[in-house]
Amino acid sequence: MKTIWRGIPLWQKIVGALILGLLTGIIFGESAQVLKPIGTLFLNLIKMLIVPLVFVTLVTGIIAMEDLKKMRRVGLKTFFIYLLTTAIAITIGLIVGIVLEPGVGVSLETAAKTSVKEAPALVDTLLNIITKNPFSSFASGDILQIIFFAIILGISINLAGEKGKPAKDFFNSMSEAMYKMTEIVMEFAPFGVFGLMAWVSSSYGMDVLLSLGKVIIGVYIASLIHMVFVLGGGIYFFAKLNPIKFFKGIIPAQTVAFTTTSSSGTLPVTTQNAIENLGVSKPIASFVLPLGATINMDGTAIYQGLCAMFVAQAFGIQLGMQEYMMIILTATLASIGTAGVPGAGLIMLTLVLTSVGLPIEGVAIIAGIDRILDMARTTVNITGDAMTSVLIAKSENELDEDIYNGHKEYEEYYGELKPEPVVIS
């Protein structure tokens, strides 16, 4: 039995656990909430990895780019792709909202006001990126500050030349240890996913899902459109690769993102999948993915566009082309300004609504199903991160297409080929 379990691919274990957890929550109702601690345990293991993994792997990625021109080139390309896909995503959200009309027939006139944490000004966000105390940033888990410090440290190690070699060896060794720790933690993923899905499905039930069904359906349809045609299309047209193999390679990361609703929390799995399954080099993955986990919000942008249409329709407010363009611009820029802020989705939605004069009372209704919507948007977010890492690696000739196409395993990571699955006749 143990051999059979080990022979099943991880992604199949995780997907199976997700379905089983969903059914368990629906069948047993509130009783299934007793399983939540299993999911919490897995979340804590994932959170344990985030800060050291981001710091160590990003420093490793920087020191691997000894050419500062290359680092600047990779950084600019990464930033451009993230902003472009975010703008496209919110456009898709608006179009789906116009077509589905999720707010028509819904009255929000009596909606209760909701208290949403105010988003920081963009200039404050930029100033706060520079940490006053790196150790304090590590303790508080401020990812933007950690990323900034890691980049500066990596550049400094390179500039130190031969004297910086011991530091290079240390971080390279530590990054390997962190990848191994990620592999260990991922062995618990099926159990954690099962516990989380049982809790979510038992907490929300069918009544809540049906009451705002059009909003939920709209977000999920728009998310699928963006992933298949924009992200999959980017892989096909720009990287000249098979998008089916891309999606197959990131199924574990997508499933973890769907259940944990955390791009940062999924980062260890996304990094593992990009390197092992998609053939992205460690330097590229270590540089692009941590940035994406904080500034790339394709899924959140979809959510902004569709929810803005929902609120406008529910209040009977007509939007014109000027308002649509303002929504696209605000959501694209807000994806950077609210990076790393807890509840970023609701904060961004508030910014978008106020930018075109829509009542923010609608946020109260959306907040009731935010967890369900967050599952979809986080999945899209990390898929966009993975796609960008593939495009950047391809453009820099740092993509192993044999690994991407499944012609060989990632021997450097495993030390040997993975065992073949056990077939029961």
Side-chain angles (χ1 to χ4, degrees), residues 154-274:
I155 293 173
S156 301
I157 291 173
N158 275 339
L159 294 176
E162 189 63 27
K163 291 183 179 179
K165 189 175 185 304
K168 285 186 179 181
D169 294 338
F170 169 78
F171 279 105
N172 284 327
S173 178
M174 278 298 296
S175 67
E176 292 299 325
M178 289 308 304
Y179 287 129
K180 182 58 67 175
M181 188 181 294
T182 300
E183 180 186 356
I184 294 171
V185 170
M186 282 307 296
E187 291 297 322
F188 295 93
F191 306 101
V193 166
F194 169 74
L196 287 171
M197 284 308 300
W199 167 65
V200 169
S201 59
S202 64
S203 297
Y204 285 87
M206 297 305 296
D207 293 339
V208 176
L209 300 182
L210 291 175
S211 64
L212 289 170
K214 271 194 173 183
V215 177
I216 296 171
I217 291 172
V219 168
Y220 277 76
I221 288 176
S223 297
L224 284 173
I225 291 173
H226 186 76
M227 284 196 292
V228 172
F229 294 102
V230 178
L231 305 182
I235 293 291
Y236 181 79
F237 290 106
F238 296 103
K240 309 296 182 184
L241 295 168
N242 185 344
I244 295 177
K245 293 184 181 296
F246 166 76
F247 288 114
K248 183 179 178 181
I250 60 168
I251 284 177
Q254 289 180 319
T255 309
V256 172
F258 187 78
T259 51
T260 64
T261 66
S262 171
S263 296
S264 296
T266 311
L267 181 59
V269 192
T270 311
T271 304
Q272 184 187 44
N273 288 176

Side-chain angles (χ1 to χ4, degrees), residues 115-411:
S115 176
V116 179
K117 182 180 178 182
E118 184 180 353
L122 181 58
V123 65
D124 292 332
T125 299
L126 295 176
L127 289 175
N128 288 333
I129 289 176
I130 303 175
T131 177
K132 299 175 183 177
N133 184 342
F135 296 102
S136 175
S137 301
F138 292 148
S140 62
D142 193 317
I143 296 297
L144 279 178
Q145 293 184 353
I146 293 170
I147 286 175
F148 179 82
F149 181 68
I151 291 173
I152 295 298
L153 180 59
I155 293 173
S156 301
I157 291 173
N158 275 339
L159 294 176
E162 189 63 27
K163 291 183 179 179
K165 189 175 185 304
K168 285 186 179 181
D169 294 338
F170 169 78
F171 279 105
N172 284 327
S173 178
M174 278 298 296
S175 67
E176 292 299 325
M178 289 308 304
Y179 287 129
K180 182 58 67 175
M181 188 181 294
T182 300
E183 180 186 356
I184 294 171
V185 170
M186 282 307 296
E187 291 297 322
F188 295 93
F191 306 101
V193 166
F194 169 74
L196 287 171
M197 284 308 300
W199 167 65
V200 169
S201 59
S202 64
S203 297
Y204 285 87
M206 297 305 296
D207 293 339
V208 176
L209 300 182
L210 291 175
S211 64
L212 289 170
K214 271 194 173 183
V215 177
I216 296 171
I217 291 172
V219 168
Y220 277 76
I221 288 176
S223 297
L224 284 173
I225 291 173
H226 186 76
M227 284 196 292
V228 172
F229 294 102
V230 178
L231 305 182
I235 293 291
Y236 181 79
F237 290 106
F238 296 103
K240 309 296 182 184
L241 295 168
N242 185 344
I244 295 177
K245 293 184 181 296
F246 166 76
F247 288 114
K248 183 179 178 181
I250 60 168
I251 284 177
Q254 289 180 319
T255 309
V256 172
F258 187 78
T259 51
T260 64
T261 66
S262 171
S263 296
S264 296
T266 311
L267 181 59
V269 192
T270 311
T271 304
Q272 184 187 44
N273 288 176
I275 295 171
E276 294 178 27
N277 301 342
L278 303 180
V280 177
S281 70
K282 284 185 180 179
I284 295 296
S286 300
F287 183 83
V288 173
L289 294 176
L291 290 179
T294 53
I295 68 172
N296 182 41
M297 294 191 175
D298 289 4
T300 308
I302 289 172
Y303 159 88
Q304 311 307 316
L306 196 138
C307 289
M309 290 305 306
F310 167 76
V311 173
Q313 292 163 1
F315 279 95
I317 299 173
Q318 294 292 325
L319 299 179
M321 185 56 65
Q322 182 177 344
E323 285 77 18
Y324 292 143
M325 295 304 298
M326 179 60 70
I327 290 173
I328 293 171
L329 178 62
T330 303
T332 302
L333 295 178
S335 68
I336 302 170
T338 58
V341 178
L346 289 177
I347 291 173
M348 286 177 63
L349 180 57
T350 305
L351 288 174
V352 168
L353 295 181
T354 55
S355 71
V356 290
L358 291 174
I360 65 170
E361 284 81 0
V363 177
I365 298 295
I366 299 299
I369 55 169
D370 189 63
R371 171 83 190 197
I372 302 296
L373 303 180
D374 204 0
M375 295 163 81
R377 64 180 185 245
T378 305
T379 304
V380 177
N381 288 346
I382 67 97
T383 304
D385 298 344
M387 181 214 68
T388 303
S389 72
V390 171
L391 294 188
I392 299 297
K394 177 76 172 182
S395 69
E396 296 292 324
N397 295 316
E398 293 192 34
L399 182 74
D400 191 326
E401 294 192 30
D402 285 333
I403 293 178
Y404 182 94
N405 291 312
H407 296 157
K408 71 176 182 180
E409 298 282 358
Y410 187 68
E411 296 95 338

Side-chain angles (χ1 to χ4, degrees), residues 2-13 180 183 187 276 408-411 413-423:
K2 184 177 180 180
T3 307
I4 297 174
W5 174 259
R6 288 186 176 277
I8 302 174
L10 180 63
W11 72 269
Q12 292 182 12
K13 295 177 187 176
K180 182 58 67 175
E183 180 186 356
E187 291 297 322
E276 294 178 27
K408 71 176 182 180
E409 298 282 358
Y410 187 68
E411 296 95 338
Y413 182 86
Y414 288 101
E416 58 183 11
L417 294 178
K418 289 182 180 178
E420 290 293 324
V422 177
V423 179

Side-chain angles (χ1 to χ4, degrees), residues 5-184:
W5 174 259
R6 288 186 176 277
I8 302 174
L10 180 63
W11 72 269
Q12 292 182 12
K13 295 177 187 176
I14 294 176
V15 172
L18 184 149
I19 296 172
L20 185 60
L22 181 64
L23 293 175
T24 300
I26 293 175
I27 294 172
F28 293 98
E30 292 184 2
S31 300
Q33 294 187 18
V34 72
L35 298 171
K36 184 184 177 182
I38 301 176
T40 302
L41 176 64
F42 175 63
L43 284 179
N44 290 343
L45 287 171
I46 288 289
K47 290 175 181 177
M48 176 185 71
L49 293 172
I50 296 173
V51 170
L53 183 72
V54 169
F55 177 64
V56 171
T57 57
L58 189 51
V59 171
T60 304
I62 296 297
I63 62 180
M65 297 184 197
E66 296 182 357
D67 184 355
L68 292 181
K69 289 184 178 179
K70 176 184 177 182
M71 190 182 72
R72 182 170 63 249
R73 184 173 67 247
V74 170
L76 288 174
K77 285 192 288 189
T78 300
F79 197 71
F80 173 76
I81 293 174
Y82 284 153
L83 286 185
L84 177 62
T85 56
T86 297
I88 295 173
I90 193 168
T91 303
I92 292 174
L94 285 170
I95 293 173
V96 172
I98 293 171
V99 173
L100 282 185
E101 298 183 332
V104 174
V106 179
S107 176
L108 290 183
E109 294 179 1
T110 59
K113 291 183 180 294
T114 185
S115 176
V116 179
K117 182 180 178 182
E118 184 180 353
L122 181 58
V123 65
D124 292 332
T125 299
L126 295 176
L127 289 175
N128 288 333
I129 289 176
I130 303 175
T131 177
K132 299 175 183 177
N133 184 342
F135 296 102
S136 175
S137 301
F138 292 148
S140 62
D142 193 317
I143 296 297
L144 279 178
Q145 293 184 353
I146 293 170
I147 286 175
F148 179 82
F149 181 68
I151 291 173
I152 295 298
L153 180 59
I155 293 173
S156 301
I157 291 173
N158 275 339
L159 294 176
E162 189 63 27
K163 291 183 179 179
K165 189 175 185 304
K168 285 186 179 181
D169 294 338
F170 169 78
F171 279 105
N172 284 327
S173 178
M174 278 298 296
S175 67
E176 292 299 325
M178 289 308 304
Y179 287 129
K180 182 58 67 175
M181 188 181 294
T182 300
E183 180 186 356
I184 294 171

